[in-house]
Amino acid sequence: MQPTLSTLLEERLAHAPQAPAFVAGDRRVTVSEFDAVVRRVAGWLARESIGPGDRVAVWLVNRIEWLALLFALARLGASLVAVNTRFRAAELEHVLRRSRPRMLVVQRGFRAIDFGAVLAAADPAAAHTVERIAVLDAGADCPERVLGRPALAFDALQGVAHDAPEAGSPEAVAAMFTTSGTTRGPKLVMHSQRAIALHAVRCARAYGFAEPGACLLAALPLCGVFGLSSALAAFAGGAPVVLMETFDGEAAARLARAHAATHLFGSDEMLRRMLEAAPPRGNPFPALRMFGFAAFGPGARALALEACARGVPVTGLYGSSEVHALFAAQPSALPAEERIAAGGRPASSDAEVRVRDLETGAILGPGASGELEIRAPTNFLGYFDDPGASAEAIGADGFFRTGDIGRLAADGRFLFETRRGDAIRLGGFLVDPSEIEEVLRSDPTVAAVQVVAVEIDGQTRPVAFAIPAPGGAPQEARLIETARARMAAYKVPVRVWFVESFPTTASANGTKIQRSALREMARARLAAERGARS
């Protein structure tokens, strides 16, 4: 039988219906209670005429209703369109126009997230396919219209269970996630419920969620695959999921200790904030068996090693919206220096990873860098309403062209090195810019560095942007000499510019630096310098 989200829930009901499934604040929800919530939400959606093939956009923080909507929509044969809680008006408009949902589910407001203000600033024309907007926590004063569309209170939890036959199929699209594209707008990644459920089961086995005492602190947003994959893996393995509505370092550190969390997944910035909020000495989270780690910012490696030295089991991962988060992880037995690297062994034993030379197209053996390509039964179906992008990303043989640069290891693992657009071809060699950044960052006057490549006098050359350390007065000449003394000549930056911050974009999992914007900044500065000399 092909797995679905319903079979995932049915298996939990059969084995331990009264076991805790989710913890949300002071509320503990058993498997049986969650099933009742899913059935009520399915009944409410059915009464609102949501059925097979429909799409419902969900714009909520982490709460039981988010997960119940996913399971209920899959049961009805409909799809959940995950809307990033970091999105603002323009991004919300893009997702609504692109996905064309029949319904949008929102909440009135949440601490620092003013959903109402964002909706008020959005163009109502973007919601032209939305028939109704369901508002959580509306109370008695639910607005009559939101974004120019009729609004109604989301009172599904007071409804009746839905006992209609299962209308969803394993291969039906159960969820869509936005990529982090910023130039042409994010694409919508389609996943079948078979792939979502199968990936959850395999991650549960691969990462120890079925082991006694396992517990996940779900600090990542469910609107991204990083947060959802980990939450569903824990659910599939029978581990309780402690939901954080939004991440806060101090609260996460406290909850990890209070619930004896064994699993936690997050970015380097999340790890930094939790360490800052934890006791300064010893292992701050002794129950942790795995801190799945994704590096988005400068200094991530040093931070991870610092955490490992204190006993935090930081583990490098690999994933994407297209192949799911937690696609691979490094073995826990590796030394810390190797364990924190991005990549690892896939959770699915039948997943295939290969490396293709960027110039010749040849398939490469272990140790050689090229583009990572992945074929797995849990891969995405394609990009919604974008056959051209889908064909470009998925080869005729079913391998997904990740756009990531990496290499195979001799022991069967693979290692992620950088994004294809970020890799630098210097002196005939493919160079990971982080290698140069680490050398420049060793100067105590520098807090953070980003290196990009631009064409100078007909050659591709590296240049750097650096943020000074507090109280520091870095000097360009000294930094260039430091690089020259420690690296091959073709890796030495020809210019180092000092900035207050880097251009960034917000994703579901954290803030990412826009290297494309840095390249444009570099070209503009070089052009201005040439103009000043002429």
Side-chain angles (χ1 to χ4, degrees), residues 135-475:
V135 183
L136 272 73
D137 308 325
D141 59 341
C142 180
E144 292 186 6
R145 301 182 75 82
V146 174
L147 200 58
R149 314 306 297 169
L152 72 161
F154 182 88
D155 56 359
L157 302 190
Q158 285 72 52
V160 297
H162 179 69
D163 293 317
E166 180 88 20
S169 67
E171 297 306 322
V173 177
M176 298 184 190
F177 300 92
T178 52
T179 64
S180 56
T182 55
T183 303
R184 292 176 295 175
K187 296 188 287 291
L188 289 171
V189 177
M190 300 183 294
H191 278 290
S192 69
Q193 64 166 318
R194 178 195 60 79
I196 294 173
L198 181 61
H199 186 64
V201 170
R202 291 181 170 182
C203 287
R205 294 171 183 165
Y207 306 133
F209 283 113
E211 295 177 4
C215 172
L216 171 71
L217 176 58
L220 287 159
L222 297 170
C223 59
V225 292
F226 203 2
L228 185 63
S229 291
S230 52
L232 291 180
F235 181 77
V241 178
V242 180
L243 290 171
M244 290 192 70
E245 291 180 316
T246 59
F247 176 78
D248 173 81
E250 184 175 346
R254 174 173 46 79
L255 288 170
R257 292 191 295 270
H259 291 276
T262 59
H263 292 70
L264 206 160
F265 298 86
S267 66
D268 49 323
E269 182 61 23
M270 292 171 67
L271 175 59
R272 187 188 309 278
R273 293 184 184 181
M274 289 184 66
L275 290 177
E276 290 173 350
R281 295 181 178 83
N283 187 344
F285 313 113
L288 270 186
R289 303 169 190 171
M290 181 181 191
F291 189 110
F293 177 72
F296 295 142
R301 178 177 173 80
L303 174 69
L305 289 174
E306 174 192 341
C308 289
R310 295 186 59 184
V312 181
V314 179
T315 303
L317 305 170
Y318 180 83
S320 71
S321 297
E322 291 87 351
V323 301
H324 294 287
L326 281 62
F327 172 81
Q330 299 288 2
S332 60
L334 288 175
E337 291 78 5
E338 298 179 52
R339 193 181 68 241
I340 65 173
R345 290 197 178 100
S348 294
S349 59
D350 53 356
E352 301 169 76
V353 180
R354 68 188 185 192
V355 176
R356 185 181 296 276
D357 187 276
L358 294 178
E359 295 180 351
T360 68
I363 301 301
L364 303 173
S369 294
E371 183 176 9
L372 295 171
E373 298 183 347
I374 294 173
R375 181 167 64 187
T378 52
N379 276 13
F380 75 130
L381 296 172
Y383 300 112
F384 177 70
D385 204 23
D386 199 338
S390 299
E392 183 179 345
I394 305 171
D397 56 2
F399 275 87
F400 166 56
R401 305 179 181 107
T402 66
D404 291 331
I405 303 301
R407 67 184 188 274
L408 300 178
D411 61 3
R413 295 177 295 130
F414 72 94
L415 298 171
F416 165 83
E417 295 173 326
T418 189
R419 285 291 297 169
R420 179 169 180 169
D422 297 337
I424 305 173
R425 178 71 70 174
L426 300 172
F429 298 94
L430 200 62
V431 177
D432 181 352
S434 65
E435 179 186 356
I436 307 172
E437 292 162 1
E438 190 170 345
V439 171
L440 297 179
R441 200 165 47 242
S442 67
D443 189 296
T445 65
V446 172
V449 180
Q450 290 291 298
V451 171
V452 295
V454 292
E455 186 173 314
I456 301 176
D457 298 330
Q459 288 185 306
T460 300
R461 305 295 299 276
V463 295
F465 290 88
I467 297 175
Q475 298 176 5

